[in-house]
Amino acid sequence: MPVESLFARLEPLLARVNKPIQYVGGELNSQIKDWDDAEVRWALMYPDAYEVGLPNQGVQILYEILNERDGVLAERTYAVWPDMEKLMREHGVPQFTVDAHRPVAAFDLLGVSFATELGYTNLLNALDLAGIPLEAADRTDEHPIVIAGGHAAFNPEPIADFLDAAVLGDGEEIVLAITEVVREWKAEGRPGGRDELLMRLASSGGVYVPKFYDVTYLPDGRIQRVAPNRPGVPWRVAKHTVMDLDSWPYPKKPLVPLAETVHERYSVEIFRGCTRGCRFCQAGMITRPVRERSITTIGEMVEGGLKESGFTEVGLLSLSSADHSEIADIAKGLADRYEGTNTSLSLPSTRVDAFNVTLANEFSRNGRRSGLTFAPEGGSERMRRVINKMVSEEDLIRTVTTAYASGWRQVKLYFMCGLPTETDEDVLAIADMARRVIQAGREATGRRDIRCTVSIGGFVPKPHTPFQWAAQCDPRTVDRRLRALRDELRRDKEYGRAIGLRYHEGEPSIIEGLLSRGDRRVGKVIRAVWEDGGRFDGWSEHFSYERWVACAEKALADEPVDIDWYTTRERDEVEVLPWDHLDAGLDREWLWQDWQDALAEVGVEDCRWTPCYDCGVCPTMGTEIQIGPTGKKLLPLSVV
Amino acid sequence: MPDGPAPAPVIQRLRVRYAKRGRLRFTSQRDVSRAVERAVRRAGIPVAFSAGFTPHPKISYTGAAPTGVASEAEYLELGLTDTRDPARVRADLDAALPPGLDVLDVVPAPAGTSLADRLQASEWRVRLDGVDPGVADRAVAAFMAAERVEVERLTKKGRRRFDARAAVFACELDRRAPEAADAPSAILRMVVRHVTPAVRPDDVLAGLRQVADLAPPSPPLVTRLAQGPLDEATGELADPLDPDREAVPPPGGDAGTAHGAAQERPAGTESADVVTTRP
């Protein structure tokens, strides 16, 4: 059955919306494959605005991998802004892909990548605009299989009712495995309909199908049990780990948008996973073990990616980029290779370490040395022991002294507020640290125009981390501590003007906490918020705390639980957590022990350089640490 | 100032005519300029950079068509650090730009000349779907008969009132346009002088609404067909790149320039209404 392009119906609406280019597609390296030639068709969604979603690495990688396969077609769709949504509803234009403007409901699968829980209302809006029933139970054989991935999918329970399936971990291999299952099932004439397809996916052990699991609750609201409700469905669903990054060098042909987006650069993941062991960091826990991409592949990807895109900036991505075993050679090699070509290199996510200043100097050889960012995360030494961020104040001062002495004028320091066991003094210690930083900068340079910006985020406990049992700090306490810190910074005229403070109110973090550690009952809240007009919860101008609170009160009125129960309540060791049946490889006992160690302010080393401490991931998942050095160097390009 | 050698000087200036077609008409000027910067890099065209901490490529634009308006006659200038064959630049840049941003013509720019001075007026084609041609014709007649037609536009500085009539040199119904069987459609062609404040086709349409209550039911499809010096006797716009072609007599005839417009231009130049969605 031919599927028509919706563009002719969309076009008259484009003249009436803001930034119409975001709905038009036509990005360099995007592709449109023949509908009828494809046996399996994926719509890939990043549930945020195009300007945020387009650069997303996960979606770009899957898009390219799928479209490289014969008989497989993948197109992209993003959340539409309210002005466009209104016109689409008025004119009956459904959710569309930006590639060929095909209706999302016509695809076999809708894959949604959740980097954050704040995209949940946008999922509901897209399903509704697409004409796909919101609840998976109401879908028929005609509707796409709605499948979630991304870090938030490690606890998909709050959106379980809206999903047909969820996938944990690296997507490269499993997306093709799912495609094969769908292809076979379609080729056989769709035996058993939607349920059999989901059963085939679930029985593999690598795809979580929520409706095949029943959740029962205790009278006090805690979960009693999560159990499969039919034979052939595994008790636990495991995450996926790609074990050779060099054999998956994507994106090779990055999408280059016409519209302006949040990241305008070619990004290469230089390794996956992190074993630094920061206890607040969900990404570090769920992406273990560390797997490096080799310096040779990185060099080839940068060369190819720049040629294919015309970008002028390269980002070397990872959770802690300076930890790559050959980062010095990579930095110098790339800086040499692209010297004089107006190509800039960036290294996000670096630790507090003087070595990183050397790297940053290498990356900015001919450019302006404007700002460097470091993340001590906790203001006091004690706090940093709790979160296992092993940075001493002396390390930090040494690092910033090197930075200011090398010509950097501004240092940004990133912290969290509301961490477990935190006291007012821990937060006020940030002010002392910032003053010492300015003092060190003035001494190192003899100048007064040294600046330091303190940026503070609210801590949200996340599933699959040692802090998954912790009580989230209530927003009033967070706000009070932040105000006290602001007053403390302002009090001192000698330093006050040199120190900037950026922070957010504590309330949005509570909603993020609700969605992060929620169970299936939270789905009713999400739906109520969407029905009340909630969209784009990651955007402060669209997010409404009051709406979330009001909807939660109504939706949970008949339940023994409320927002506080999900967020500011500490859990004990035996409580069944909503995500216990989802396996990130981390040994539950190890996580609990690490939580106890946090309370005792005991640190843990990085297993890359010290013996294994049995977090459980490698033996459970059959994986191992993959690090260099390879001893290879980057070769200069023959033609630049 | 940053360390290192001064940026390479401009050796050659090229003037480029390009089109904005189909769905790419929804690009803003900022979108176009990012796309061009990336395209020159991919195409390996040696564009010069400004000095300073954040060097910018030497690419300048003149009088860009508004977002949502298609165009067959947009212009930019490139400063190169080396001499390149304009024909080659035309082909390479066109290949590196996304389909819909199409390079039509490239000529070397003689020193001391200004392209902006030659872009005195624009010819626009405006398709009004759902509007009866007879009704449109009467509205145009009423507009052209008026001496002044004050219209309002919302600008960044708030509401602004100005005359939309004086800048319009000519405006008429295109009677050659084929009548669609199912729905009426009127096509206007207008020649509008470049004045300050600028008078755009939508200002003329606001004028038509004011003098004759002409209210198209759907957004107009607007295409800029040409820009250039206006011959007041004939109402024709000359090709603004012709003086450059004459100024640099290329060795061996026409090889020094790359006048590809005639081949590149789609039949009827209906670029606004042709949806160039690939199959």
Side-chain angles (χ1 to χ4, degrees):
Chain A
M1 192 183 64
V3 168
E4 299 280 323
S5 166
L6 295 165
F7 195 74
R9 287 164 64 197
L10 184 67
E11 197 175 19
L13 313 184
L14 292 173
R16 297 161 63 186
V17 298
N18 237 324
K19 298 189 194 161
I21 188 66
Q22 66 184 307
Y23 306 114
V24 161
E27 301 90 349
L28 191 77
N29 297 327
S30 64
Q31 8 186 346
I32 294 177
K33 295 177 80 170
D34 188 82
W35 184 264
D36 295 319
D37 284 351
E39 298 158 86
V40 181
R41 307 174 185 111
W42 282 85
L44 301 175
M45 177 176 199
Y46 190 86
D48 204 333
Y50 179 88
E51 63 194 82
V52 178
L54 185 281
N56 180 264
Q57 287 281 295
V59 172
Q60 289 206 17
I61 290 169
L62 298 185
Y63 177 79
E64 195 171 349
I65 287 176
L66 288 167
N67 277 321
E68 275 183 359
R69 298 301 186 283
D70 285 336
V72 184
L73 167 162
E75 300 193 11
R76 295 157 297 125
T77 186
Y78 304 94
V80 298
W81 286 112
D83 62 342
M84 179 54 110
E85 181 195 337
K86 186 166 171 289
L87 288 173
M88 286 165 68
R89 290 187 187 281
E90 272 173 34
H91 292 83
V93 175
Q95 180 81 22
F96 54 88
T97 59
V98 297
D99 302 279
H101 296 91
R102 286 164 175 148
V104 166
F107 287 75
D108 297 313
L109 299 121
L110 170 60
V112 190
S113 176
F114 288 101
T116 135
E117 299 82 1
L118 297 174
Y120 290 164
T121 51
N122 284 354
L123 166 70
L124 295 194
N125 204 40
L127 290 174
D128 187 60
L129 280 169
I132 300 170
L134 296 188
E135 310 263 341
D138 298 332
R139 290 175 201 147
T140 70
D141 290 359
E142 277 145 48
H143 298 116
I145 300 292
V146 179
I147 186 162
H151 287 183
F154 278 79
N155 176 26
E157 291 301 89
I159 50 169
D161 291 345
F162 316 122
L163 297 177
D164 294 296
V167 167
L168 280 61
D170 299 334
E172 288 93 337
E173 291 165 337
I174 185 64
V175 80
L176 293 175
I178 292 169
T179 302
E180 278 317 303
V181 172
V182 174
R183 192 204 300 261
E184 274 173 31
W185 171 77
K186 283 179 78 175
E188 290 167 27
R190 305 170 190 249
R194 192 178 188 87
D195 253 27
E196 166 143 356
L197 174 58
L198 290 171
M199 192 59 206
R200 289 186 186 186
L201 292 171
S203 59
S204 70
V207 178
Y208 173 52
V209 178
K211 77 166 179 180
F212 293 161
Y213 296 78
D214 287 335
V215 183
T216 49
Y217 301 95
L218 296 165
D220 67 1
R222 286 177 301 152
I223 292 173
Q224 182 182 38
R225 197 168 101 113
V226 180
N229 56 23
R230 63 189 71 194
V233 177
W235 280 84
R236 301 192 79 197
V237 179
K239 75 162 178 177
H240 299 270
T241 312
V242 166
M243 277 316 293
D244 182 6
L245 255 52
D246 283 349
S247 56
W248 295 96
Y250 296 88
K252 294 174 187 165
K253 296 185 171 187
L255 293 168
V256 185
L258 288 149
E260 191 165 12
T261 60
V262 292
H263 295 306
E264 305 265 326
R265 62 182 175 221
Y266 177 61
S267 296
V268 182
E269 240 182 316
I270 61 173
F271 64 88
R272 258 181 221 175
C274 179
T275 40
R276 286 271 163 192
C278 303
R279 290 174 174 130
F280 54 83
C281 180
Q282 187 193 38
M285 293 291 165
I286 63 177
T287 60
R288 294 168 174 223
V290 170
R291 291 146 288 148
E292 287 188 356
R293 190 166 261 152
S294 72
I295 182 171
T296 314
T297 304
I298 292 166
E300 287 165 4
M301 285 180 71
V302 171
E303 182 186 357
L306 287 179
K307 202 152 66 185
E308 292 289 344
S309 67
F311 282 133
T312 55
E313 186 182 335
V314 177
L316 301 180
L317 303 189
S318 77
L319 293 170
S320 180
S321 290
D323 284 349
H324 192 287
S325 62
E326 290 177 297
I327 189 64
D329 286 331
I330 294 170
K332 183 170 183 313
L334 291 177
D336 284 349
R337 187 197 273 182
Y338 294 104
E339 185 152 6
T341 65
N342 291 298
T343 304
S344 64
L345 304 165
S346 70
L347 195 69
S349 310
T350 52
R351 285 172 308 105
V352 180
D353 187 327
F355 166 64
N356 290 328
V357 179
T358 316
L359 280 181
N361 292 347
E362 198 68 83
F363 276 14
S364 61
R365 259 186 224 170
N366 299 306
R368 189 214 305 251
R369 291 186 178 166
S370 48
L372 272 186
T373 301
F374 298 105
E377 312 281 2
S380 68
E381 203 94 36
R382 189 198 74 77
M383 196 74 260
R384 291 193 294 276
R385 281 198 302 275
V386 170
I387 61 178
N388 200 42
K389 187 90 187 186
M390 301 304 224
V391 176
S392 71
E393 186 143 342
E394 281 57 49
D395 289 339
L396 179 75
I397 296 304
R398 203 165 32 242
T399 305
V400 299
T401 303
T402 316
Y404 287 123
S406 317
W408 300 86
R409 287 286 161 266
Q410 172 149 341
V411 164
K412 189 168 152 192
L413 300 176
Y414 186 81
F415 297 92
M416 279 187 289
C417 183
L419 289 160
T421 78
E422 180 184 275
T423 64
D424 293 4
E425 287 67 40
D426 290 319
V427 176
L428 288 175
I430 294 171
D432 294 331
M433 190 186 260
R435 281 194 288 261
R436 283 196 63 195
V437 163
I438 292 296
Q439 201 178 359
R442 287 175 180 169
E443 281 167 14
T445 61
R447 301 170 64 126
R448 299 283 295 179
D449 64 343
I450 294 301
R451 277 194 60 80
C452 160
T453 302
V454 172
S455 184
I456 306 187
F459 168 66
V460 178
K462 295 277 180 172
H464 305 284
T465 69
F467 290 163
Q468 65 182 354
W469 290 280
Q472 186 172 351
C473 192
D474 71 274
R476 286 161 303 282
T477 305
V478 169
D479 290 344
R480 182 173 51 74
R481 286 181 183 151
L482 291 174
R483 274 195 301 275
L485 173 63
R486 184 195 58 195
D487 294 344
E488 176 67 17
L489 285 171
R490 281 187 186 165
R491 198 175 53 79
D492 196 335
K493 292 277 180 290
E494 170 69 8
Y495 296 102
R497 281 164 201 271
I499 301 169
L501 178 63
R502 296 180 55 175
Y503 64 94
H504 298 288
E505 301 291 316
E507 287 176 342
S509 299
I510 282 293
I511 302 307
E512 204 188 327
L514 169 73
L515 298 175
S516 291
R517 291 194 294 171
D519 53 38
R520 293 189 181 183
R521 292 168 292 189
V522 172
K524 286 185 287 188
V525 182
I526 298 167
R527 181 162 184 163
V529 166
W530 170 75
E531 282 168 353
D532 193 50
R535 315 273 189 276
F536 289 98
D537 286 304
W539 298 70
S540 56
E541 62 267 46
H542 292 278
F543 174 83
S544 164
Y545 178 70
E546 291 69 28
R547 169 153 48 206
W548 275 96
V549 169
C551 288
E553 272 170 17
K554 253 182 279 170
L556 298 174
D558 298 332
E559 305 282 355
V561 297
D562 57 15
I563 290 186
D564 287 350
W565 188 87
Y566 283 110
T567 55
T568 56
R569 179 181 64 97
E570 185 170 334
R571 282 77 158 160
D572 66 21
E573 189 179 3
V574 296
E575 179 169 341
V576 177
L577 301 173
W579 51 90
D580 275 347
H581 58 300
L582 300 174
D583 191 1
L586 297 152
D587 182 57
R588 202 176 194 272
E589 281 170 33
W590 177 78
L591 279 176
W592 179 262
Q593 187 53 50
D594 204 39
W595 169 223
Q596 300 310 304
D597 286 349
L599 297 174
E601 300 169 20
V602 175
V604 54
E605 295 285 329
D606 190 318
C607 62
R608 267 171 292 187
W609 307 297
T610 58
C612 171
Y613 46 76
D614 293 326
C615 76
V617 172
C618 290
T620 309
M621 297 293 153
T623 55
E624 59 182 5
I625 299 170
Q626 288 179 340
I627 53 173
T630 64
K632 300 227 167 65
K633 301 278 182 241
L634 278 184
L635 299 173
L637 300 182
S638 43
V639 183
V640 175
Chain B
M1 289 294 287
D3 304 332
V10 172
I11 301 294
Q12 184 188 34
R13 272 178 215 286
L14 295 177
R15 290 191 175 135
V16 177
R17 174 181 172 186
Y18 66 98
K20 218 170 88 169
R21 291 171 174 158
R23 58 181 172 174
L24 273 272
R25 75 178 192 273
F26 293 107
T27 47
S28 69
Q29 178 49 33
R30 282 165 59 87
D31 300 333
V32 170
S33 91
R34 270 194 312 275
V36 171
E37 280 176 33
R38 287 168 187 160
V40 294
R41 286 179 78 90
R42 274 200 308 280
I45 298 167
V47 169
F49 277 79
S50 63
F53 281 118
T54 44
H56 288 288
K58 299 215 168 181
I59 306 172
S60 58
Y61 298 82
T62 314
T67 306
V69 169
S71 177
E72 291 295 317
E74 299 297 287
Y75 292 90
L76 63 84
E77 285 190 10
L78 299 172
L80 306 189
T81 59
D82 201 355
T83 311
R84 285 286 182 276
D85 172 20
R88 176 94 192 273
V89 169
R90 197 203 68 76
D92 290 351
L93 188 57
D94 188 50
L97 280 166
L101 286 180
D102 301 328
V103 181
L104 305 182
D105 198 358
V106 177
V107 300
T113 61
S114 159
L115 178 63
D117 290 349
R118 297 180 203 152
L119 304 183
Q120 294 164 357
S122 286
E123 183 184 358
W124 305 92
R125 180 179 181 279
V126 180
R127 200 180 92 189
L128 303 169
D129 285 337
V131 172
D132 180 76
V135 172
D137 199 22
R138 285 190 290 280
V140 168
F143 178 85
M144 293 306 285
E147 218 161 88
R148 270 182 80 80
V149 180
E150 289 255 325
V151 297
E152 240 183 29
R153 195 201 302 157
L154 203 57
T155 69
K156 277 174 193 149
K157 291 175 192 158
R159 289 196 178 281
R160 207 168 164 176
R161 282 191 74 80
F162 57 95
D163 174 34
R165 170 63 190 86
V168 180
F169 178 79
C171 180
E172 58 182 22
L173 184 74
D174 187 341
R175 293 173 207 284
R176 292 166 299 170
E179 186 89 25
D182 46 347
S185 177
I187 293 173
L188 307 181
R189 279 175 185 262
M190 51 184 88
V191 174
V192 184
R193 287 194 190 87
H194 297 170
V195 293
T196 313
V199 174
R200 301 197 205 130
D202 52 324
D203 300 318
V204 177
L205 291 175
L208 293 177
R209 176 188 281 254
Q210 197 160 308
V211 297
D213 260 347
L214 186 76
S218 59
L221 287 165
V222 183
T223 306
R224 176 187 259 160
L225 299 176
Q227 291 191 77
L230 173 63
D231 183 335
E232 303 228 355
T234 64
E236 297 284 316
L237 296 180
D239 184 335
L241 300 185
D242 276 346
D244 302 327
R245 263 183 279 273
E246 286 148 17
V248 190
D254 212 27
T257 66
H259 194 48
Q263 294 80 41
E264 290 290 326
R265 207 150 144 174
T269 61
E270 295 174 315
S271 78
D273 9 322
V274 176
V275 178
T276 54
T277 315
R278 286 159 292 174

